[in-house]
């Protein structure tokens, strides 16, 4: 009974964490929460005959029926909590797996611009691969930054990342070569959706990557442009991804870029504030905004 009680207590704690963290933690760490809840409830159901048999075989004050009542009460608490969790956070459905190609200029661009969306897409079972065009030597230590880009992608649970070696701050002179890199990825991966920098971005590298991706993705059905800290006031998103459950995952991924930790746009307050602002535009609590170059309904679907 002691071990059963301990197991139930652990199960209860797991569900409580899930509820307290808005479901994001439990979703990201337990791939199939439905299985977990089923096991918990099965154990709870088993607790009834076990505690009943103890009650019958060990009658007496302070045990027996008292334990039985405690067991049933625990079953009720766990069951109600589990139900509450599922009502608030039903399992995410992946009706149609989409391939998402995301292209950024520097190692931290993707996490900053659309880390919440990428984490959400990966969690929903979509395939996300990333291309980072440079090691970011100008803004920090290139070798560290490459490792941090890989760590960021792992944190977001992307399917893959390729860190290229184009020249930080000089990408405007390398557009032809960047087009070839993105074209190769498009031909091999055949993405349903491409995400990249906006034309309304005053960073010369971001703008160059935007141009290269537009050319490489000229036959791709859906292209959305994300919001970097360097976008101009003309950046005007009309497509939003609800990241209410993923703002913490975004901040965690951004914080993998320790090389850039001192930059003002890397702070959690700034990231949270920006997501709240876009969330207000999208009528939700936290969101990331994208400009739509073009969007095919079957490609975007319920993303
Ligand atoms: Zn950048």
């Amino acid at each position: 009974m002691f071990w059963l009680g301990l197991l139930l207590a652990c199960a209860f704690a797991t569900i409580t964490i899930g509820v307290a963290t808005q479901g994001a933690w439990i979703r990201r760490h337990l791939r199939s929460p439905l299985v977990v809840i089923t096991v918990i409830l099965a154990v709870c159901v088993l607790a009834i005959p076990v505690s009943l048999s103890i009650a019958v075989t060990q009658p007496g004050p302070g045990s027996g029926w008292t334990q039985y009542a405690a067991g049933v009460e625990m079953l009720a608490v766990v069951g109600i909590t589990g139900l509450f969790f599922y009502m608030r956070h039903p399992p995410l459905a992946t009706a149609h797996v989409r391939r998402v190609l995301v292209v950024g200029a520097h190692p931290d661009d993707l996490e900053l611009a659309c880390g919440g969306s990428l984490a959400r897409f990966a969690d929903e079972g979509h395939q996300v691969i990333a291309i980072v065009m440079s090691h970011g030597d100008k803004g920090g230590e290139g070798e560290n930054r490459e490792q941090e880009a890989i760590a960021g992608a792992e944190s977001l649970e992307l399917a893959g990342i390729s860190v290229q070696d184009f020249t930080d701050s000089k990408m405007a002179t390398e557009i032809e070569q960047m087009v070839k890199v993105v074209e190769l990825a498009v031909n091999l991966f055949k993405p349903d959706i491409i995400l990249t920098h906006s034309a309304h971005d005053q960073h010369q590298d971001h703008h160059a990557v935007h141009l290269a991706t537009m050319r490489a993705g000229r036959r791709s059905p859906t292209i959305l442009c994300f919001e970097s800290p360097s976008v101009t006031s003309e950046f005007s998103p009309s497509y939003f991804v609800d990241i209410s459950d993923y703002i913490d995952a975004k901040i965690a991924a951004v914080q993998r870029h320790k090389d850039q930790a001192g930059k003002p746009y890397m702070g959690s307050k700034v990231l949270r504030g920006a997501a709240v602002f876009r969330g207000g535009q999208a009528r939700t609590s936290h969101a990331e905004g994208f400009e739509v170059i073009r969007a095919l309904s079957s490609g975007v679907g319920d993303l």
Side-chain angles (χ1 to χ4, degrees):
M1 194 62 192
F2 170 77
W3 291 108
L4 192 61
L6 190 65
L7 183 64
L8 288 172
C10 290
F12 181 73
T14 306
I15 296 173
T16 306
I17 290 168
V19 173
T21 59
Q22 303 288 301
W25 183 91
I26 204 164
R27 262 193 212 145
R28 292 183 65 74
H29 293 85
L30 299 173
R31 273 289 161 208
S32 181
L34 185 61
V35 172
V36 176
I37 297 290
T38 305
V39 169
I40 291 167
L41 292 180
V43 171
C44 291
V45 169
L46 276 175
I48 292 178
V50 171
S51 55
L52 183 59
S53 71
I54 292 171
V56 171
T57 56
Q58 299 175 7
S63 63
W65 289 107
T66 310
Q67 287 186 0
Y68 176 64
V72 172
E73 278 172 23
M74 195 171 279
L75 167 67
V77 170
V78 173
I80 291 167
T81 310
L83 192 65
F84 173 70
F85 172 65
Y86 262 93
M87 284 175 71
R88 286 189 68 187
H89 305 287
L92 296 166
T94 307
H96 171 202
V97 174
R98 291 180 184 81
R99 291 180 297 277
V100 181
L101 172 65
V102 55
V103 188
H106 308 110
D108 54 357
D109 286 338
L110 305 182
E111 288 86 342
L112 283 166
C114 57
S117 303
L118 300 183
R120 180 177 178 142
F121 296 161
D123 245 19
E124 290 177 347
H126 303 297
Q127 278 190 309
V128 184
I129 65 165
I131 299 175
V132 171
M133 287 297 182
S134 75
H135 291 66
D137 304 88
K138 287 281 181 205
E141 186 59 47
E143 211 166 294
N144 292 346
R145 297 197 70 190
E146 182 183 11
Q147 291 309 313
E148 289 172 359
I150 294 166
E154 283 173 359
S155 171
L156 297 173
E157 300 187 8
L158 306 190
I161 181 169
S162 168
V163 181
Q164 300 289 313
D165 200 17
F166 290 99
T167 315
D168 191 2
S169 82
K170 297 271 193 300
M171 290 180 211
T173 63
E174 300 171 321
I175 290 176
E176 295 296 327
Q177 297 95 310
M178 288 198 294
V179 170
K180 290 194 175 92
V181 168
V182 181
E183 267 181 348
L184 183 63
V186 168
N187 291 337
L188 291 174
F189 187 54
K190 299 189 172 31
D192 298 298
I193 300 166
I194 298 177
L195 307 177
T196 192
H197 290 284
S198 166
H200 301 120
D201 195 317
Q202 61 192 1
H203 193 299
Q204 68 274 22
D205 287 344
H206 295 182
H207 199 260
V209 169
H210 167 81
L211 293 175
T213 307
M214 288 302 108
R215 281 175 55 189
R218 58 196 177 277
R219 296 189 196 90
S220 298
T222 300
I223 303 181
L224 307 176
C225 296
F226 50 63
E227 179 177 19
S228 297
S230 51
V231 294
T232 67
S233 58
E234 290 167 300
F235 182 86
S236 180
S238 53
Y239 183 86
F240 298 89
V241 175
D242 186 343
I243 61 162
S244 303
D245 280 349
Y246 291 91
I247 182 65
D248 291 328
K250 171 173 183 159
I251 291 169
V254 168
Q255 287 176 345
R256 294 294 182 103
H257 295 271
K258 293 188 171 62
D259 192 277
Q260 303 290 294
K263 301 277 172 71
Y265 48 80
M266 302 291 283
S268 63
K269 274 188 186 169
V270 176
L271 295 169
R272 218 174 274 280
V276 167
F277 175 68
R278 292 302 178 199
Q281 292 180 318
R283 311 297 185 259
T284 187
S285 68
H286 298 77
E288 286 170 339
F290 299 83
E291 289 179 329
V292 177
I293 300 296
R294 58 180 171 273
L296 184 66
S297 62
S298 60
V300 175
D302 56 357
L303 271 182

